[in-house]
Coordinates of all heavy atoms in Angstrom, one line a residue:
A138 N 0.3 19.1 13.9 CA 1.5 19.0 14.8 C 2.5 20.0 14.5 O 3.2 20.5 15.5 CB 2.0 17.6 15.0
L139 N 2.8 20.3 13.4 CA 3.9 21.2 13.0 C 3.4 22.7 13.1 O 4.2 23.5 12.8 CB 4.4 21.0 11.5 CG 5.2 19.6 11.4 CD1 5.4 19.4 9.9 CD2 6.5 19.6 12.2
G140 N 2.2 22.9 13.4 CA 1.7 24.2 13.4 C 1.4 24.9 12.1 O 1.3 26.0 12.0
A141 N 1.0 24.0 11.3 CA 0.7 24.4 9.7 C -0.7 24.1 9.6 O -1.2 23.5 8.5 CB 1.5 23.6 8.8
G142 N -1.7 24.8 10.5 CA -3.1 24.6 10.3 C -3.6 25.4 9.1 O -4.5 25.0 8.4
A143 N -2.9 26.5 8.8 CA -3.4 27.3 7.6 C -3.1 26.5 6.2 O -3.8 26.5 5.4 CB -2.6 28.6 7.5
T144 N -2.0 25.7 6.3 CA -1.6 24.9 5.3 C -2.7 23.8 5.1 O -3.2 23.5 3.8 CB -0.3 24.3 5.3 OG1 0.6 25.3 5.5 CG2 0.1 23.5 4.1
L145 N -3.2 23.2 6.2 CA -4.2 22.2 6.1 C -5.5 22.7 5.6 O -6.2 22.1 4.8 CB -4.3 21.5 7.5 CG -5.3 20.5 7.6 CD1 -5.0 19.3 6.7 CD2 -5.6 20.0 9.1
S146 N -5.9 23.8 6.1 CA -7.2 24.5 5.6 C -7.1 24.8 4.2 O -8.0 24.6 3.4 CB -7.5 25.7 6.4 OG -6.6 26.7 6.2
T147 N -5.9 25.2 3.6 CA -5.8 25.5 2.2 C -5.8 24.2 1.4 O -6.5 24.1 0.4 CB -4.5 26.2 1.9 OG1 -4.4 27.4 2.7 CG2 -4.3 26.5 0.5
F148 N -5.2 23.2 1.9 CA -5.2 21.9 1.3 C -6.6 21.3 1.3 O -7.0 20.8 0.1 CB -4.3 20.9 2.2 CG -4.1 19.6 1.6 CD1 -3.3 19.5 0.3 CD2 -4.6 18.4 2.1 CE1 -3.0 18.2 -0.2 CE2 -4.3 17.2 1.7 CZ -3.5 17.0 0.5
I149 N -7.4 21.5 2.3 CA -8.8 21.0 2.4 C -9.8 21.8 1.3 O -10.7 21.3 0.8 CB -9.3 20.9 3.7 CG1 -8.6 19.9 4.5 CG2 -10.8 20.8 3.8 CD1 -9.0 19.9 6.0
S150 N -9.4 23.1 1.2 CA -10.2 24.0 0.4 C -9.9 23.6 -1.1 O -10.8 23.7 -1.9 CB -10.1 25.4 0.7 OG -8.6 25.8 0.3
I151 N -8.8 23.3 -1.4 CA -8.4 22.8 -2.8 C -8.9 21.3 -3.1 O -9.5 21.1 -4.2 CB -6.9 22.8 -3.0 CG1 -6.4 24.3 -2.8 CG2 -6.5 22.2 -4.4 CD1 -4.8 24.4 -3.0
F152 N -8.8 20.5 -2.1 CA -9.3 19.1 -2.2 C -10.4 18.8 -1.2 O -10.1 18.1 -0.2 CB -8.0 18.1 -2.2 CG -7.0 18.4 -3.1 CD1 -5.8 18.9 -2.6 CD2 -7.2 18.0 -4.4 CE1 -4.7 19.1 -3.5 CE2 -6.2 18.3 -5.2 CZ -5.0 18.8 -4.8
P153 N -11.6 19.3 -1.4 CA -12.7 19.1 -0.3 C -13.1 17.6 -0.1 O -13.6 17.3 0.9 CB -13.9 19.9 -0.8 CG -13.6 20.0 -2.3 CD -12.1 20.0 -2.6
K154 N -12.9 16.7 -1.1 CA -13.2 15.3 -0.9 C -12.4 14.6 0.2 O -12.7 13.6 0.8 CB -13.1 14.5 -2.1 CG -14.2 14.9 -3.1 CD -15.6 14.7 -2.6 CE -16.5 15.1 -3.6 NZ -18.0 15.0 -3.2
I155 N -11.2 15.2 0.6 CA -10.4 14.7 1.7 C -11.1 14.6 3.1 O -11.0 13.7 3.8 CB -9.1 15.5 1.8 CG1 -8.2 15.3 0.6 CG2 -8.3 15.1 3.2 CD1 -7.0 16.1 0.6
V156 N -12.0 15.5 3.3 CA -13.0 15.5 4.4 C -13.8 14.1 4.4 O -14.0 13.5 5.4 CB -13.9 16.7 4.5 CG1 -14.7 16.7 5.7 CG2 -12.9 18.0 4.6
W157 N -14.4 13.9 3.3 CA -15.1 12.6 3.1 C -14.3 11.4 3.5 O -14.8 10.5 4.2 CB -15.6 12.4 1.7 CG -16.5 11.3 1.6 CD1 -17.8 11.2 1.8 CD2 -16.1 10.0 1.2 NE1 -18.3 9.9 1.6 CE2 -17.3 9.1 1.2 CE3 -15.0 9.4 0.8 CZ2 -17.2 7.7 1.0 CZ3 -14.9 8.1 0.6 CH2 -16.0 7.3 0.6
I158 N -13.0 11.4 3.0 CA -12.2 10.3 3.4 C -11.9 10.1 4.9 O -11.8 9.0 5.4 CB -10.8 10.3 2.5 CG1 -11.1 10.2 1.0 CG2 -9.8 9.3 3.0 CD1 -9.8 10.5 0.2
S159 N -11.7 11.4 5.4 CA -11.4 11.3 6.9 C -12.6 10.9 7.6 O -12.5 10.2 8.7 CB -11.0 12.8 7.3 OG -9.8 13.1 6.8
E160 N -13.8 11.3 7.2 CA -15.0 10.9 7.9 C -15.2 9.3 7.8 O -15.9 8.8 8.7 CB -16.3 11.6 7.3 CG -16.3 13.0 7.6 CD -17.4 13.8 6.9 OE1 -18.0 13.3 6.0 OE2 -17.5 14.9 7.3
H161 N -14.7 8.8 6.8 CA -14.9 7.3 6.5 C -13.6 6.6 6.7 O -13.3 5.5 6.0 CB -15.5 7.1 5.1 CG -17.0 7.6 4.9 ND1 -17.1 8.9 4.5 CD2 -18.1 7.1 5.2 CE1 -18.3 9.1 4.5 NE2 -19.0 8.1 4.9
K162 N -12.8 6.9 7.7 CA -11.5 6.4 7.7 C -11.5 4.9 8.2 O -10.6 4.1 7.8 CB -10.6 7.2 8.9 CG -11.1 7.1 10.3 CD -10.2 7.9 11.1 CE -10.8 8.0 12.5 NZ -9.9 8.8 13.4
V163 N -12.5 4.4 9.0 CA -12.6 3.0 9.2 C -12.7 2.2 8.0 O -12.0 1.2 7.8 CB -13.7 2.8 10.2 CG1 -14.0 1.2 10.4 CG2 -13.5 3.5 11.5
E164 N -13.6 2.7 7.1 CA -13.9 1.8 5.8 C -12.6 1.9 5.0 O -12.3 0.9 4.3 CB -15.0 2.4 5.0 CG -16.3 2.2 5.7 CD -16.7 3.3 6.7 OE1 -15.9 4.2 7.0 OE2 -17.9 3.2 7.3
V165 N -11.9 3.1 5.0 CA -10.7 3.2 4.2 C -9.7 2.3 4.7 O -8.9 1.6 3.9 CB -10.2 4.7 4.3 CG1 -8.7 4.8 3.6 CG2 -11.1 5.6 3.5
F166 N -9.5 2.1 6.1 CA -8.5 1.3 6.6 C -8.8 -0.3 6.4 O -8.1 -1.0 6.1 CB -8.3 1.6 8.1 CG -7.3 2.7 8.3 CD1 -7.6 4.0 8.4 CD2 -6.0 2.2 8.5 CE1 -6.7 5.0 8.6 CE2 -5.1 3.2 8.8 CZ -5.5 4.5 8.8
I167 N -10.1 -0.5 6.5 CA -10.6 -1.9 6.1 C -10.3 -2.2 4.8 O -9.7 -3.4 4.6 CB -12.1 -2.1 6.5 CG1 -12.3 -2.1 7.9 CG2 -12.6 -3.4 5.9 CD1 -13.8 -2.1 8.4
F168 N -10.5 -1.4 3.8 CA -10.2 -1.6 2.4 C -8.8 -1.8 2.2 O -8.3 -2.7 1.5 CB -10.8 -0.5 1.5 CG -10.4 -0.7 0.0 CD1 -10.9 -1.7 -0.7 CD2 -9.5 0.1 -0.5 CE1 -10.7 -1.9 -2.1 CE2 -9.1 0.0 -1.8 CZ -9.7 -1.0 -2.6
A169 N -7.9 -0.9 2.7 CA -6.5 -1.0 2.6 C -6.0 -2.3 3.2 O -5.2 -2.9 2.8 CB -5.9 0.3 3.1
G170 N -6.6 -2.7 4.4 CA -6.1 -3.9 5.0 C -6.4 -5.1 4.2 O -5.5 -5.9 4.2
V171 N -7.6 -5.0 3.6 CA -7.9 -6.3 2.6 C -6.9 -6.3 1.6 O -6.5 -7.3 1.2 CB -9.3 -6.1 2.3 CG1 -9.7 -7.1 1.1 CG2 -10.3 -6.4 3.4
M172 N -6.7 -5.2 1.0 CA -5.7 -5.1 -0.2 C -4.3 -5.5 0.3 O -3.7 -6.3 -0.4 CB -5.7 -3.7 -0.8 CG -6.9 -3.3 -1.4 SD -7.2 -4.3 -2.9 CE -5.9 -3.9 -4.0
L173 N -4.0 -5.2 1.5 CA -2.7 -5.5 1.9 C -2.5 -7.1 2.2 O -1.6 -7.7 1.9 CB -2.3 -4.9 3.3 CG -1.6 -3.5 3.1 CD1 -1.7 -2.7 4.4 CD2 -0.2 -3.5 2.5
S174 N -3.6 -7.6 2.7 CA -3.7 -9.1 3.0 C -3.7 -9.9 1.7 O -2.9 -10.8 1.6 CB -5.1 -9.4 3.7 OG -5.1 -8.8 5.0
I175 N -4.4 -9.4 0.7 CA -4.3 -10.1 -0.7 C -2.9 -10.0 -1.2 O -2.4 -11.0 -1.8 CB -5.4 -9.4 -1.6 CG1 -6.7 -9.8 -1.1 CG2 -5.1 -10.0 -3.0 CD1 -7.9 -9.0 -1.8
S176 N -2.3 -8.8 -1.2 CA -1.0 -8.6 -1.7 C 0.0 -9.4 -0.9 O 0.9 -10.0 -1.5 CB -0.7 -7.2 -1.8 OG 0.6 -7.0 -2.2
G177 N -0.1 -9.5 0.4 CA 0.8 -10.3 1.1 C 0.7 -11.8 0.9 O 1.7 -12.5 0.7
Y178 N -0.5 -12.3 0.7 CA -0.7 -13.6 0.3 C -0.1 -13.9 -1.1 O 0.6 -15.0 -1.3 CB -2.2 -14.0 0.2 CG -2.4 -15.3 -0.4 CD1 -2.3 -16.5 0.4 CD2 -3.0 -15.5 -1.5 CE1 -2.4 -17.8 -0.2 CE2 -3.2 -16.8 -2.2 CZ -2.9 -17.9 -1.5 OH -3.2 -19.1 -1.8
M179 N -0.3 -13.0 -2.0 CA 0.4 -13.2 -3.4 C 1.9 -13.2 -3.3 O 2.5 -13.9 -4.0 CB -0.3 -12.2 -4.4 CG -1.8 -12.6 -4.6 SD -2.4 -11.4 -6.0 CE -1.6 -12.2 -7.4
Q180 N 2.4 -12.4 -2.4 CA 3.9 -12.3 -2.3 C 4.3 -13.6 -1.7 O 5.3 -14.2 -2.2 CB 4.2 -11.1 -1.3 CG 4.1 -9.8 -1.9 CD 5.2 -9.5 -2.9 OE1 6.3 -10.0 -2.8 NE2 4.8 -8.5 -3.8
W181 N 3.6 -14.0 -0.6 CA 4.0 -15.3 -0.1 C 3.9 -16.5 -0.9 O 4.8 -17.3 -1.0 CB 3.2 -15.5 1.1 CG 3.5 -16.8 1.9 CD1 4.6 -16.9 2.7 CD2 2.8 -18.0 2.0 NE1 4.6 -18.3 3.3 CE2 3.5 -18.9 2.8 CE3 1.7 -18.4 1.3 CZ2 3.1 -20.1 3.0 CZ3 1.1 -19.7 1.5 CH2 1.9 -20.6 2.3
R182 N 2.8 -16.6 -1.7 CA 2.6 -17.6 -2.6 C 3.6 -17.6 -3.8 O 4.0 -18.7 -4.3 CB 1.2 -17.6 -3.2 CG 0.6 -18.8 -3.9 CD -0.6 -18.6 -4.6 NE -0.4 -17.7 -5.8 CZ -1.2 -17.4 -6.7 NH1 -2.5 -17.6 -6.4 NH2 -0.9 -16.7 -7.7

Side-chain angles (χ1 to χ4, degrees):
L139 293 175
T144 304
L145 179 62
S146 65
T147 302
F148 188 68
I149 290 173
S150 68
I151 293 172
F152 303 106
K154 293 298 180 184
I155 290 176
V156 175
W157 182 89
I158 293 172
S159 296
E160 289 172 352
H161 295 91
K162 68 181 173 183
V163 173
E164 292 87 354
V165 169
F166 273 90
I167 290 171
F168 175 71
V171 168
M172 291 296 294
L173 277 168
S174 298
I175 292 169
S176 182
Y178 172 73
M179 291 187 73
Q180 288 286 332
W181 180 77
R182 192 187 76 181

